[in-house]
Amino acid sequence: MALWVEKQHGKNGAAFIDDKIGQLSRAKDNQGVALWQDVARRLEQLTLRRRPS
C-alpha cells in the first residue's frame, strides 16, 4: 500500500495518508486508523531509503 501511495501521490503521499487517517478516526474505525498508520510508517521507511547519502 505504501508503494501505491508513493506512485499515486508522490510527495503528497503523507498528506493523503493523514487525510485518510482523519476520515477513519472521525468514523471511529480504529482498525482502519491502525492500518493507515502502518502504511505511513512504511512510506517513511521507503522515503528514507531513497534519499541520497
Side-chain angles (χ1 to χ4, degrees):
M1 287 174 73
L3 284 171
W4 177 86
V5 170
E6 182 182 55
K7 288 181 182 183
Q8 295 297 312
H9 299 280
K11 292 181 181 181
N12 298 321
F16 170 79
I17 292 172
D18 288 343
D19 288 343
K20 194 73 154 162
I21 290 171
Q23 292 170 3
L24 293 165
S25 182
R26 287 188 294 280
K28 299 185 186 334
D29 182 349
N30 295 331
Q31 288 179 329
V33 168
L35 171 71
W36 282 97
Q37 287 173 335
D38 188 46
V39 174
R41 282 188 294 276
R42 292 170 190 262
L43 181 62
E44 184 176 349
Q45 289 173 345
L46 284 173
T47 302
L48 290 173
R49 285 185 186 153
R50 293 191 174 143
R51 284 188 188 158
S53 300

